[in-house]
Amino acid sequence: SDENDNYPLWSPDGTRIIFSSTRDHNWEIYSINVDGSNLVNLTQHDANDITPVWSADGTQIVFVSDRDGNNEIYVMNVDGSNPVRLTENDASDESPSWRP
């Protein structure tokens, strides 16, 4: 199988894990309960969405996507709503993180 799961991160409150996966044929971002229940595809986009990181308060997720032609950094609500592009340039923007 060419299915991959990577970049798992615990939520700040310890109840959910976010990760990237190719289980739906391209890289998407998912969240799941720590017991393996309630898997949710947060991005549902034809582009590749990778390397999700929680905000310290657990309400937002920053991630990388090539949905606008090259890797840019986006932020979305924890339920996947309201994705917003934060960067806009020709470079490949990767490895976002939140300031503590």
Side-chain angles (χ1 to χ4, degrees):
S1 167
D2 56 1
E3 183 178 302
N4 294 287
D5 298 325
N6 64 20
Y7 298 105
L9 277 180
W10 290 83
S11 62
D13 67 4
T15 63
R16 306 268 301 162
I17 294 171
I18 52 174
F19 62 98
S20 300
S21 176
T22 58
R23 61 185 62 210
D24 289 331
H25 311 296
N26 70 304
W27 287 105
E28 300 278 13
I29 294 169
Y30 295 81
S31 67
I32 195 168
N33 289 341
V34 296
D35 66 0
S37 65
N38 194 24
L39 176 71
V40 178
N41 180 335
L42 298 176
T43 45
Q44 299 181 20
H45 199 281
D46 291 339
N48 291 306
D49 302 309
I50 58 172
T51 61
V53 180
W54 296 96
S55 62
D57 64 4
T59 64
Q60 293 186 301
I61 296 168
V62 66
F63 64 101
V64 172
S65 177
D66 63 2
R67 62 184 61 189
D68 291 318
N70 70 319
N71 281 352
E72 300 281 2
I73 296 172
Y74 293 75
V75 64
M76 64 182 168
N77 294 331
V78 71
D79 62 0
S81 64
N82 195 33
V84 175
R85 185 173 67 190
L86 300 180
T87 59
E88 185 173 359
N89 60 67
D90 295 333
S92 183
D93 300 317
E94 300 174 2
S95 303
S97 64
W98 289 92
R99 183 178 177 186

